[in-house]
Amino acid sequence: MSRKNIRLKEKVERLVILDKTGKANEALDPKLDDELSLYLYKLMVQSRVLDERMINLQRTGKMGTYAPCRGQEATACGATPAMDKDDWIAPAYREVGSFIHRGWPMESLIFFWGGYEEGCVPAKGSNHLPFAVPIATQCLHAMGISWGMKVKGESDAVLCYIGDGGTSEGDFHEALNFAGVYKLPLVMFVVNNHWAISIPREMQTASPTIAQKAVAYGFDGIQVDGNDILGCYAAVNEAANKARSGGGPTLIEAVTYRMMFHTTADDPKKYRSEDEVKKWEKLDPITRYEKYLTTRGTLSRNVQEDVKAEAVKLVAEAVERYELHREVDPVECFDFTYEEMPPELAEQREDFIRVLDEAGVKRGPRGHYLLP
Amino acid sequence: MAQMNMVKALNTALDEALREDGDVVLMGQDIGRDEGVFRVTEGLLDTYGKNRVIDTPLAEGAIIGGAIGMALYGMKPVAEMQFSGFAFQAFHQVENHLSRFRNRTRGFFRLGMVMRMPYGGGIRAIEHHSESREAYYAHTPGLQMVIPSTPRNARALLRSAIRSPDPVIFFEPKAVYRAFREEVPDEPETMPIGKSQVVQEGSDVTLIAYGAMMRPTLAAAEKLAEDGVKAEVIDLLTVSPMDTETIAVSVQKTGRAVVIHEGPRTCGIGAEVVARIVETSLLYLEAPVKRVTGYDIQFPYFAREDVYLPDAGRIARAAHEVVKF
């Protein structure tokens, strides 16, 4: 009879490359070239400008409820660009930079939050799924895609986003379990922004870290500073390389903070302290990266201003396309339920058209009905 | 032509699909080495290997969610749920995503996958192994709910289901699995999804059923014939989208109808059939339409299941009432 500690081979690490002051750890700095370094910066700035504009669109009644990503830009803007073009991305719904990087037009996001399915149509060849609203359900799709890659013998990988709240869901655990069993090329990226609406991270799990959950599924976990874009990039890059070469999945926990409300429909003052928010304000991922790039000599005041101006222009153009050029035929509601429309549904569609006609709904130049 | 039972017929369809299309994979609990708890996947692991016939960990949600991922990736997964009573642990994936991806992405993503599972009572199984909850799936837009009734149509419909560009929930009447054999043609055969069949012509009353209820319904039709009542029998085959026309044409001819299913009555498939009869054929009706169904109670433990399940006697009795009205 005996009783001793079981030794586990899986490891759980914590990675920080850029410290709070924007100073890089020399040994860990991935030393990305100027072009990529600057690109990541642009992506974060565009993400923030679009995010701010969408809050504004909601506030002025031009868009629906919106879940902003302010404060956590370094996660999506660091993680998605670390994946190859043939790799797939499964977002949750707060990864603005991920969509932009994969070539989704900015107005897609506005369309989605504005109540149009058109916002879920992926950019061609983007290998990027649309928003997943039911929490953690996308984990299984990401796992399934990586399963398909393995079955097909492709050496690609999948990056899946999920929040800290989502780690309480069964789908998250089932995805990790299957990924571990089949050694799938999956990078599970948890954006731990500390709050799931009003429920703090501590109420989701008793584990001191989320990263350590990887151990139970038989692979490594790593916690990164989620406001350190180089840390996010490097961790995902490493995990993706491991996945593509048959090394199996990795669980990454990026620790960041949701600076705003959960969505435009709630008031965080009800459930968290202003002091906590102020503390995180000082850790802003964009400011931190600006300091790093400036020290490196990659970013001048002029370039900084140009990047901001370009972002503002791109977002303004996207808003214009959303506001001025949307032509959405309500009758299309019926057209994508099945490849071939069943007769009963075709009858319902005809009836709907009669209802629109009787209500005097106007038609546009293409003969389509115009939404009031 | 070969005589085979439904298990063998389904096995044949899966074998054909795996052979014809490299994107088809089977996945589920115990479908590989164990060849499925009902042996539907017999021999397939040996023939196609563990990349095509995949034993999975025990999690229905991950099997269906994972299959959705594979379908997003362009493959054609055929996922087995060991019993339909356990598929509720995957229901959130069915409702939230399987039924919606096409519409959500305006046709960009098409989930051509099949979720097959044994359903229904009659095999003296413990709780959660006998329910008929096809109405849940039929109620969800974007899904096709298919239920074969014989070896031949099971093989043909499963082939069609695997080829369909849209998701198919494929209920297999486990009471029929080994109940009888039927001639199944050697050459691959398909049947259109969304079409019902008149399996027996008659002029006095229309009996509408599907799946495992086809056998007692046909037995009832025989009893009725002995009593001089000529029953027309419709096998729905696809429960949703429902083939209204076949039902309407028959009821307009007979003027009388009885709908039969195992599942509970309230908001069951029968309710939808009756609604469509009323919408299309009210003025042809000579009598109120009757439903012979499971009662609005949970499926009894198996000591009492025989009295719960609709049988030929109950069906014939209802038909007589309708005819005599």
Side-chain angles (χ1 to χ4, degrees):
Chain A
M1 305 286 249
S2 72
R3 180 168 181 159
K4 54 189 177 185
N5 281 338
I6 296 172
R7 297 174 72 89
L8 303 169
K9 66 179 195 312
E10 294 79 14
K11 60 179 193 292
V12 185
E13 297 174 311
R14 178 167 166 84
L15 172 70
V16 184
I17 298 178
L18 284 185
D19 72 11
K20 292 174 192 174
T21 66
K23 193 165 167 291
N25 179 309
E26 188 62 23
L28 296 171
D29 188 344
K31 299 192 174 65
L32 308 177
D33 63 30
D34 282 350
E35 196 186 335
L36 179 55
S37 303
L38 201 56
Y39 171 77
L40 297 180
Y41 175 67
K42 281 184 188 173
L43 197 57
M44 279 207 287
V45 172
Q46 288 177 15
S47 168
R48 177 156 302 178
V49 172
L50 178 55
D51 193 56
E52 285 170 350
R53 191 61 205 272
M54 284 198 278
I55 294 171
N56 176 267
L57 285 170
Q58 189 280 333
R59 292 301 190 221
T60 52
K62 292 172 179 166
M63 208 183 76
T65 299
Y66 175 60
C69 67
R70 188 185 188 86
Q72 55 190 71
E73 289 91 346
T75 56
C77 299
T80 296
M83 302 299 286
D84 285 350
K85 204 173 159 288
D86 291 334
D87 297 330
W88 281 59
I89 315 290
Y93 50 81
R94 231 183 270 273
E95 293 76 25
V96 174
S98 184
F99 285 90
I100 299 174
H101 173 69
R102 280 296 173 108
W104 285 51
M106 284 181 175
E107 62 267 29
S108 287
L109 286 90
I110 312 175
F111 269 99
F112 173 74
W113 294 105
Y116 301 91
E117 287 91 344
E118 283 72 9
C120 280
V121 182
K124 262 209 176 104
S126 66
N127 294 337
H128 195 292
L129 297 185
F131 311 83
V133 177
I135 301 302
T137 50
Q138 75 278 10
C139 297
L140 292 175
H141 308 157
M143 180 276 287
I145 294 168
S146 69
W147 201 356
M149 289 169 174
K150 173 118 185 182
V151 166
K152 287 278 197 184
E154 303 288 347
S155 53
D156 301 315
V158 182
L159 170 68
C160 180
Y161 288 96
I162 182 173
D164 47 309
T167 66
S168 299
E169 292 273 10
D171 282 7
F172 169 72
H173 297 275
E174 291 183 17
L176 293 182
N177 188 47
F178 273 53
V181 167
Y182 296 118
K183 241 181 162 192
L184 300 179
L186 178 67
V187 181
M188 184 65 78
F189 190 88
V190 179
V191 180
N192 169 8
N193 69 11
H194 283 86
W195 291 93
I197 307 189
S198 68
I199 307 300
R201 147 71 184 80
E202 292 71 30
M203 274 182 70
Q204 298 293 347
T205 174
S207 310
T209 71
I210 291 169
Q212 73 194 73
K213 292 179 188 293
V215 173
Y217 299 108
F219 48 86
D220 294 341
I222 184 165
Q223 192 184 57
V224 294
D225 182 334
N227 286 14
D228 164 14
I229 191 164
L230 294 182
C232 291
Y233 182 93
V236 172
N237 192 45
E238 188 181 295
N241 284 334
K242 180 180 102 179
R244 287 189 216 101
S245 57
T250 304
L251 174 62
I252 301 173
E253 174 190 5
V255 183
T256 180
Y257 195 76
R258 197 191 79 209
M259 292 303 297
M260 308 293 286
F261 26 75
H262 161 65
T263 68
T264 45
D266 71 290
D267 176 10
K269 288 197 188 81
K270 244 180 118 177
Y271 49 78
R272 70 182 186 187
S273 79
E274 293 283 296
D275 288 350
E276 184 182 287
V277 181
K278 285 206 178 87
K279 191 191 94 185
W280 279 92
E281 231 164 47
K282 297 192 189 104
L283 302 173
D284 184 76
I286 299 183
T287 315
R288 190 187 301 192
Y289 192 50
E290 273 167 359
K291 285 180 188 154
Y292 164 80
L293 289 178
T294 307
T295 312
R296 241 180 77 140
T298 312
L299 188 67
S300 64
R301 179 58 61 89
N302 280 348
V303 173
Q304 206 175 316
E305 279 166 13
D306 289 351
V307 168
K308 179 76 189 280
E310 190 199 11
V312 169
K313 181 170 163 280
L314 289 171
V315 170
E317 288 167 1
V319 172
E320 191 180 306
R321 287 193 291 271
Y322 169 72
E323 291 197 305
L324 299 180
H325 302 295
R326 66 169 180 261
E327 285 192 347
V328 186
D329 190 345
V331 180
E332 280 178 2
C333 288
F334 290 86
D335 297 350
F336 302 101
T337 304
Y338 298 98
E339 174 119 333
E340 267 183 61
M341 194 174 295
E344 166 74 20
L345 196 56
E347 267 179 42
Q348 292 178 23
R349 187 179 186 275
E350 287 308 307
D351 190 56
F352 182 62
I353 288 172
R354 276 194 296 275
V355 169
L356 295 177
D357 283 340
E358 283 164 21
V361 175
K362 291 198 173 61
R363 286 176 184 249
R366 286 187 292 113
H368 62 287
Y369 289 87
L370 297 170
L371 283 174
Chain B
M1 295 280 262
Q3 285 273 341
M4 57 179 79
N5 63 24
M6 187 182 279
V7 168
K8 182 63 187 164
L10 292 165
N11 178 269
T12 303
L14 294 174
D15 187 16
E16 288 163 352
L18 285 162
R19 189 167 60 238
E20 290 162 6
D21 188 341
D23 283 331
V24 172
V25 290
L26 313 189
M27 53 212 287
Q29 298 155 15
D30 308 300
I31 67 158
R33 190 50 59 215
D34 193 40
E35 305 182 310
V37 294
F38 288 101
R39 306 292 173 266
V40 173
T41 49
E42 192 171 11
L44 300 178
L45 172 65
D46 288 339
T47 310
Y48 299 100
K50 64 181 171 53
N51 263 350
R52 306 284 307 283
V53 180
I54 309 171
D55 270 323
T56 67
L58 209 166
E60 288 77 12
I63 294 169
I64 297 307
I68 290 171
M70 281 198 193
L72 290 167
Y73 191 59
M75 298 173 68
K76 294 180 185 170
V78 181
E80 175 178 304
M81 300 279 95
Q82 208 155 70
F83 288 88
S84 68
F86 302 130
F88 306 118
Q89 275 158 293
F91 197 78
H92 66 301
Q93 284 288 342
V94 175
E95 164 60 37
N96 291 331
H97 296 295
L98 183 60
S99 65
R100 294 173 187 241
F101 249 107
R102 172 189 283 279
N103 179 64
R104 174 187 296 149
T105 64
R106 310 277 93 174
F108 186 96
F109 282 117
R110 294 141 195 238
L111 300 183
M113 60 170 272
V114 180
M115 181 173 171
R116 40 172 295 271
M117 47 193 149
Y119 88 98
I123 64 155
R124 303 181 66 73
I126 61 162
E127 193 180 359
H128 306 292
H129 292 69
S130 302
E131 17 311 80
S132 299
R133 293 290 190 262
E134 59 276 17
Y136 288 153
Y137 301 98
H139 190 67
T140 305
L143 302 178
Q144 304 170 97
M145 177 75 242
V146 174
I147 312 184
S149 60
T150 74
R152 184 170 178 176
N153 64 37
R155 186 268 204 121
L157 284 168
L158 184 52
R159 277 181 63 80
S160 300
I162 296 169
R163 287 159 172 236
S164 173
D166 292 317
V168 175
I169 311 298
F170 196 86
F171 267 25
E172 299 169 3
K174 64 173 102 64
V176 180
Y177 267 158
R178 294 176 186 280
F180 65 97
R181 287 163 183 270
E182 186 183 27
E183 290 283 342
V184 176
D186 294 333
E187 60 278 6
E189 195 178 39
T190 56
M191 279 177 89
I193 291 172
K195 286 271 179 264
S196 300
Q197 267 188 348
V198 176
V199 293
Q200 179 180 311
E201 293 201 10
S203 51
D204 299 331
V205 59
T206 303
L207 308 181
I208 302 153
Y210 53 90
M213 283 295 107
M214 284 308 295
R215 297 187 79 211
T217 300
L218 287 165
E222 264 183 50
K223 274 177 187 264
L224 289 166
E226 287 164 18
D227 300 334
V229 175
K230 296 188 199 72
E232 178 143 306
V233 180
I234 293 177
D235 185 348
L236 284 184
L237 296 169
T238 298
V239 159
S240 174
M242 192 176 278
D243 178 3
T244 313
E245 198 189 345
T246 300
I247 298 167
V249 166
S250 176
V251 172
Q252 288 172 16
K253 180 176 78 176
T254 62
R256 295 175 164 86
V258 178
V259 196
I260 302 105
H261 58 71
E262 268 184 71
R265 177 167 304 177
T266 298
C267 297
I269 300 303
E272 184 60 35
V273 172
V274 174
R276 292 188 189 212
I277 290 172
V278 169
E279 282 167 353
T280 59
S281 316
L282 179 68
L283 299 179
Y284 295 84
L285 287 178
E286 305 284 350
V289 181
K290 277 211 170 283
R291 287 180 284 174
V292 180
T293 66
Y295 301 107
D296 288 337
I297 55 174
Q298 286 298 348
F299 198 95
Y301 278 27
F302 65 80
R304 296 181 173 89
E305 76 175 327
D306 289 344
V307 291
Y308 169 86
L309 286 168
D311 59 13
R314 272 172 67 191
I315 298 165
R317 178 169 145 264
H320 274 304
E321 284 172 13
V322 166
V323 170
K324 282 184 203 140
F325 180 82

